[in-house]
Amino acid sequence: MTVAQLLTPQPYSPKSTGEAVSRHPLNFYESPSWFTTELLRHVKLSGVIGEPCVGMGAIAFLLNVWPHTEHIWTNDIDPNKQAHFHYDATVSVVMGFFTRVRLDLY
C-alpha cells in the first residue's frame, strides 16, 4: 500500500505553481454564450437578476431576452464597460449592497 502525504492548501499564484501565467487586466475573461444558454437549461432563473461582472455583456445580453427575467442590473469594476454600477465585486461590503439593490436606484 502506498501512502501519499496530504498537501497543505496554498494561495494560488503563478510563482507557487511554477506556471508562467499572465492575468488579463482587471481579470476580464468573457463567458461564451453557449455557457449561459446551457446554464439556463438547468438553472431556473427569474425575476430581478444581477450580473456583478458584466464585461462586454455576453451573459447580460442573453438574460435580457430570457422570458423569465423581470429586470437585470449590471456591474463592472472597469469604468469603461457599460454597466449600471462600477464597483469592485470582490469586496464583501459591495456584494452586500448588491443583495439589496432596488430597481429605482438606476
Side-chain angles (χ1 to χ4, degrees):
M1 176 167 133
T2 303
V3 177
Q5 189 175 21
L6 293 177
L7 299 175
T8 305
Q10 299 293 321
Y12 174 81
S13 78
K15 290 180 183 176
S16 69
T17 61
E19 296 176 51
V21 176
S22 62
R23 300 197 61 106
H24 291 270
L26 299 174
N27 287 327
F28 174 68
Y29 303 96
E30 193 70 30
S31 300
S33 60
W34 68 264
F35 180 84
T36 305
T37 304
E38 191 64 21
L39 176 72
L40 292 173
R41 288 183 54 212
H42 300 281
V43 178
K44 303 302 180 198
L45 296 177
S46 63
V48 177
I49 301 171
E51 167 54 296
C53 304
V54 72
M56 297 301 289
I59 294 173
F61 175 78
L62 288 171
L63 290 174
N64 271 320
V65 297
W66 181 245
H68 307 292
T69 300
E70 180 183 322
H71 192 79
I72 184 167
W73 58 261
T74 57
N75 175 70
D76 200 283
I77 192 172
D78 186 347
N80 298 310
K81 303 285 189 222
Q82 184 175 352
H84 294 105
F85 306 101
H86 292 99
Y87 298 118
D88 183 347
T90 66
V91 177
S92 61
V93 172
V94 171
M95 289 312 292
F97 164 76
F98 286 140
T99 61
R100 297 182 304 278
V101 168
R102 293 188 344 238
L103 295 178
D104 61 346
L105 290 177
Y106 47 97

